[in-house]
């Protein structure tokens, strides 16, 4: 459904991303990992139509993206600037639903449900500035999930929450998206997370960012925080991604393990 | 609680100043500077000796204050609405400000009292002219602040609105206006105090009612205590408006005050 062709972007003369090629199928969960400053947010903003890339094209369902596409939700990295401080959490989550043609009662019910799922049903009436960073981040996730977009872009969405909440949110996101058939592009700098959440892990090189690895994640069954993470395949893949992120060329080690890079 | 107590305690300065004023004016004995007790007496006789059913206000008070305050509020509201409307347009429509700026700077530099003759010709004597003078004088703080506020809306807020495809109306009503509201209120507050001044000025020239007219009348009848009573009245009105405004602002912008306190 999403295709990036030779996508590149310059800020002035500074090259942030360089010839990124990527194809994402409907319903796929793709994680993008890369070192800080390699252009991950730039990539996401190009897809969301918030910046006009200086080179290449973004295709959504075969059509080039011009402006913000329909049925898209973004969980911004900078969550504090994306929630409106003059509205309660509930109002923040339900505001985008106005587009969905729901009446006020239905909107609030849907928003309440989403807040409940991220564990914030008690904080619905709170304003963003009354919440911790992690809570704000969860409101912003709730807003995106309640919107039920076809394509969900998440920019380091679990950065400010504790480890356990993070695991819960990872599972929640996977569950909700699978249920609604959403496609997800999730940006993270956490190698572990990328392998756990993704159907595929795409690794970007350091600036200017370009794709240096595209690894399918083949792990059995529904993911489980404890069980999946102790699988040998998980550990191997994590090592592989870690190497790519650090810029170490992939190699087949003495045990014969290793993953083909595409 | 502590702040309130401090606020009350700080008022000790008021009686001290009054006593000093009384002593100095009594010693000086100038007819142009009557002592405050005499001013208070005049104030009471003119305006505050009415029946309880009129909140102690005399008929004279009602007939003087009524038209003045009516014009002041009407003009302030008109200026507020126009100022916000034009300010939003100037702040959000790219390029418009560049065209409009020279004209606006020119108009803004004109002192409103000097325009009274022109407004006379346009609107004839009476309320419309006075409204025009006040509106013309007080629209600028609202306009300038609204423009600034709308221009400075955080990019993050607007990007969110774009991604979730808010309608144009929702962007204006739920993102831009609330984000600019602190600035708009600052402008409205400035223009309210300006409106009080311009109300008096507009009534000094070619009017036959209102506080300004009554002040002029007292002056021309050599009633200096009466003149001072008007001055005191205007000061009290200014204080009162400001206090009422701050209460309203506190309600509308509670998110802003609180957000700033926590960040
Ligand atoms: N608006 C901008 N103007 C100029 N340079 C920019 C702008 N936005 C980003 N950059 C630069 O582009 C590069 C990539 O930025 P980007 O935000 O995409 O990185 P990132 O991979 O998301 O980093 P992080 O992991 O820290 O969020 C950085 O070097 C940054 O300084
Ligand atoms: Mg980033």
């Amino acid at each position: 459904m999403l295709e990036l062709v030779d996508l590149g972007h310059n800020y002035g003369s500074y090259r942030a991303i360089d010839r990124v090629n990527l194809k994402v199928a409907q319903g796929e969960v793709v994680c993008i990992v890369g070192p800080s400053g390699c252009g991950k947010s730039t990539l996401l903003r190009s897809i969301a139509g918030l910046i006009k890339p200086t080179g290449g094209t973004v295709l959504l369902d075969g059509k080039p993206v011009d402006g913000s596409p329909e049925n898209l939700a973004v969980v911004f990295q900078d969550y504090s600037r994306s929630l409106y401080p003059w509205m309660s959490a509930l109002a923040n989550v339900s505001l985008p639903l106005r587009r969905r043609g729901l009446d006020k009662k239905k909107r609030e019910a849907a928003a309440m449900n989403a807040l409940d799922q991220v564990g914030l049903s008690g904080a619905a009436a709170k304003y963003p500035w009354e919440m911790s960073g992690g809570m704000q981040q969860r409101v912003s996730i709730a807003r995106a999930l309640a919107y039920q977009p076809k394509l969900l872009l998440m920019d380091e969405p679990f950065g400010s929450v504790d480890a356990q909440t993070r695991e819960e949110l990872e599972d929640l996101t996977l569950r909700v998206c699978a249920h609604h058939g959403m496609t997800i592009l999730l940006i993270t700098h956490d190698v572990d997370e990328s392998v756990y959440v993704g159907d595929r892990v795409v690794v970007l090189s350091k600036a200017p960012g370009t794709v240096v690895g595209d690894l399918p994640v083949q792990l059995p069954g529904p993911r489980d925080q404890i069980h999946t993470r102790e699988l040998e395949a998980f550990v191997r893949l994590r090592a592989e991604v870690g190497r790519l992120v650090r810029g170490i060329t992939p190699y087949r080690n003495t045990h014969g393990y290793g993953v083909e890079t595409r | 609680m502590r702040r309130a107590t401090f606020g009350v305690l700080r008022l000790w300065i008021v009686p001290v100043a009054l006593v000093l004023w009384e002593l100095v004016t009594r010693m000086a004995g100038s007819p142009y500077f009557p002592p405050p007790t005499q001013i208070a007496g005049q104030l009471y006789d003119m305006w505050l000796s009415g029946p309880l059913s009129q909140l102690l206000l005399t008929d004279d008070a009602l007939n003087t204050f009524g038209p003045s305050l009516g014009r002041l509020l009407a003009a302030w509201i008109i200026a507020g609405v126009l100022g916000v409307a034009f300010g939003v347009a100037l702040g959000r429509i790219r390029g418009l400000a560049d065209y409009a700026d020279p004209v606006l700077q020119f108009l803004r530099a004109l002192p409103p009292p000097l325009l009274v003759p022109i407004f006379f010709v346009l609107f004839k004597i009476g309320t419309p002219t006075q409204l025009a003078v006040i509106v013309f004088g007080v629209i600028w703080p609202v306009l300038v602040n609204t423009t600034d506020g709308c221009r400075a809306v955080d990019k993050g807020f607007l990007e969110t609105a774009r991604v979730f495809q808010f309608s144009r109306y929702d962007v204006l009503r739920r993102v831009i206006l609330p984000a600019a509201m602190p600035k708009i209120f600052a402008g409205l507050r400035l223009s309210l105090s300006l409106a009080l001044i311009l109300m008096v000025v507009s009534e000094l020239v070619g009017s036959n009612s209102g506080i300004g007219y009554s002040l002029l009348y007292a002056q021309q009848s050599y009633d200096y205590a009466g003149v001072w009573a008007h001055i005191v009245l205007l000061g009290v009105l200014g204080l009162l408006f400001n206090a009422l405004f701050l209460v309203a602002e506190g309600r509308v912008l509670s998110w802003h005050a609180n957000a700033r306190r926590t960040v």
Side-chain angles (χ1 to χ4, degrees):
Chain A
M1 73 168 309
L2 173 70
E3 189 175 355
L4 310 181
V5 185
D6 282 339
L7 191 69
H9 188 72
N10 285 8
Y11 291 108
S13 62
Y14 179 77
R15 188 132 187 90
I17 48 175
D18 190 38
R19 276 184 289 131
V20 174
N21 286 288
L22 185 66
K23 261 188 189 162
V24 181
Q26 172 76 40
E28 214 175 4
V29 179
V30 174
C31 288
I32 295 186
V33 273
S36 183
C38 76
K40 301 183 295 293
S41 296
T42 305
L43 183 68
L44 177 136
R45 296 162 64 78
S46 310
I47 299 171
L50 295 173
I51 53 175
K52 213 174 154 51
T54 49
T57 30
V58 179
L59 299 170
L60 254 179
D61 296 325
K63 288 186 286 282
V65 164
D66 180 30
S68 270
E70 292 262 347
N71 278 317
L72 169 88
V74 177
V75 177
F76 288 96
Q77 182 172 23
D78 198 355
Y79 50 86
S80 66
R81 287 173 58 206
S82 124
L83 295 176
Y84 300 118
W86 48 87
M87 288 180 197
S88 67
L90 187 71
N92 265 293
V93 175
S94 63
L95 181 57
L97 302 180
R98 284 165 69 85
R99 279 231 89 196
R100 294 278 187 246
L102 302 172
D103 63 37
K104 195 173 157 116
K105 255 214 190 106
K106 290 220 177 93
R107 287 202 302 268
E108 291 193 343
M112 202 60 215
N113 182 37
L115 284 172
D116 191 33
Q117 287 184 317
V118 297
L120 285 180
S121 49
K126 282 204 157 111
Y127 286 81
W129 37 266
E130 293 175 300
M131 299 189 194
S132 69
M135 288 165 86
Q136 292 178 35
Q137 212 163 26
R138 280 187 277 162
V139 174
S140 154
I141 292 168
R143 177 172 63 186
L145 293 181
Y147 191 64
Q148 297 186 6
K150 278 213 196 114
L151 176 61
L152 173 57
L153 306 178
M154 306 177 95
D155 198 347
E156 301 194 13
F158 313 126
S160 307
V161 295
D162 61 276
Q164 201 191 329
T165 310
R166 181 182 187 123
E167 293 179 355
E168 283 166 19
L169 289 174
E170 287 167 0
D171 288 340
L172 170 73
T173 305
L174 287 180
R175 211 168 54 237
V176 173
C177 292
H179 187 256
H180 296 289
M182 295 180 199
T183 309
I184 311 183
L185 203 70
L186 185 142
I187 287 173
T188 174
H189 54 237
D190 183 334
V191 172
D192 240 73
E193 180 171 87
S194 71
V195 176
Y196 179 78
V197 174
D199 296 327
R200 246 167 83 200
V201 178
V202 172
V203 184
L204 292 186
S205 65
K206 58 181 193 292
T210 191
V211 178
V212 292
D214 188 341
L215 318 166
V217 180
Q218 275 144 350
L219 296 172
R223 310 262 162 111
D224 175 89
Q225 289 289 354
I226 306 290
H227 179 64
T228 302
R229 286 179 200 270
E230 67 185 5
L231 291 176
E232 204 186 329
F234 180 90
V235 177
R236 227 186 306 137
L237 204 49
R238 185 179 61 187
E240 194 65 31
V241 174
R243 252 176 242 128
L244 285 167
V245 170
R246 286 167 187 77
I248 305 168
T249 38
Y251 67 107
R252 289 185 184 278
N253 62 26
T254 48
H255 304 290
Y257 297 144
V259 183
E260 286 295 333
T261 59
R262 282 193 257 170
Chain B
M1 190 59 227
R2 270 189 56 201
R3 288 187 60 189
T5 332
F6 266 121
V8 173
L9 283 181
R10 267 201 316 246
L11 288 179
W12 64 267
I13 195 103
V14 176
V16 170
L18 281 173
V19 168
L20 267 177
W21 186 6
E22 182 80 29
L23 288 176
V24 171
T25 44
R26 269 178 199 272
M27 283 194 298
S30 157
Y32 301 109
F33 294 97
T37 41
Q38 198 187 331
I39 298 172
Q42 182 75 330
L43 226 147
Y44 175 80
D45 288 343
M46 278 195 296
W47 298 320
L48 291 177
S49 47
L52 207 56
S53 63
Q54 295 180 4
L55 293 169
L56 298 181
L57 292 171
T58 58
D59 291 343
D60 187 28
L62 293 181
N63 294 334
T64 310
F65 303 171
S68 280
L69 297 186
R71 284 189 286 251
L72 182 149
L73 288 180
W76 182 60
I77 289 168
I78 295 171
V81 170
L82 291 178
V84 169
F86 283 119
V88 170
L90 286 171
R92 292 308 321 172
I93 301 176
R94 207 172 298 159
L96 183 61
D98 296 336
Y99 286 105
D101 210 48
V103 181
L104 291 176
Q105 295 304 338
F106 174 78
L107 289 175
R108 217 180 128 187
L110 303 176
L114 297 187
L115 294 174
V116 172
I118 299 175
F119 288 134
F120 265 160
V121 178
L122 286 175
F123 301 114
K124 305 284 178 301
I125 195 163
T127 300
T129 292
Q130 280 146 14
L131 288 182
V133 172
I134 304 176
V135 169
F136 188 87
V138 308
I139 196 172
W140 308 111
V142 187
L143 183 74
V144 171
N145 273 288
T146 307
T147 307
D148 276 1
C150 289
R151 203 173 277 161
V153 176
D154 194 304
K155 248 180 79 191
F157 295 160
L158 294 171
E159 289 183 342
T160 301
R162 246 165 84 192
V163 163
F164 289 101
Q165 311 224 315
F166 291 3
S167 65
R168 277 169 153 260
Y169 171 80
D170 278 352
V171 174
L172 183 65
R173 168 77 178 57
R174 292 168 201 278
V175 181
I176 292 175
L177 280 179
M181 210 41 94
K183 277 252 165 189
I184 294 176
F185 265 78
L188 283 172
R189 185 170 163 206
L190 263 175
S191 69
L192 184 58
S193 54
L194 259 180
L196 187 68
I197 298 168
L198 283 172
M199 174 202 77
V200 178
V201 170
S202 76
E203 287 169 352
L204 288 175
V205 202
S207 165
N208 50 16
S209 66
I211 299 172
Y213 171 74
S214 160
L215 169 66
L216 196 66
Y217 185 81
Q219 199 175 15
Q220 283 165 355
S221 352
Y222 305 104
D223 172 11
Y224 293 110
V227 171
W228 278 96
H230 284 83
I231 294 172
V232 170
L233 170 71
L234 290 172
V236 170
L237 283 178
L239 272 176
L240 195 69
F241 284 156
N242 197 43
L244 286 176
F245 187 89
L246 288 181
V247 170
E249 182 181 72
R251 292 187 162 221
V252 176
L253 291 183
S254 63
W255 66 267
H256 185 244
N258 286 316
R260 270 212 305 215
R261 203 169 304 145
T262 46
V263 169

